[in-house]
Amino acid sequence: ELTTRSETFARLWSAHDVRTHGTGTKRFHHPVVGELTLAYEELAVTADDGMALLVYTAEPGSPSAERLQMLASWSLSGAGRS
């Protein structure tokens, strides 16, 4: 719909070279532990075309690793369960 309403968008969209980013870093904000910066790697699922598995990890010893550990402990303790 955007390509039919905006010539500029249509031109930019058709010229955009989209490719998969197999690795990188993403930032998340979790309501309990706050900011997390995690490295990710995309793994293709060869049994089903177009499917992928994303694996997120925190740098050992980083604030994000500590926050993930805190979140795991919080989850195991039953905190936040209704």
Side-chain angles (χ1 to χ4, degrees), residues 3-82:
T3 57
T4 62
R5 294 182 181 215
S6 168
E7 288 181 28
T8 302
F9 180 86
R11 180 177 44 79
L12 293 171
W13 184 259
S14 66
H16 185 66
D17 183 21
V18 179
R19 61 186 174 88
T20 302
H21 296 282
T23 61
T25 302
K26 293 203 180 208
R27 293 183 64 195
F28 299 92
H29 178 80
H30 190 279
V32 174
V33 296
E35 296 298 319
L36 297 166
T37 301
L38 304 176
Y40 72 89
E41 185 162 350
E42 181 179 348
L43 306 171
V45 177
T46 58
D48 197 346
D49 191 34
M51 296 288 289
L53 173 68
L54 291 172
V55 178
Y56 290 92
T57 57
E59 182 70 29
S62 69
S64 291
E66 292 172 9
R67 290 176 183 138
L68 284 177
Q69 186 61 46
M70 184 185 341
L71 185 59
S73 297
W74 182 77
S75 176
L76 289 174
S77 72
R81 293 185 186 162
S82 302

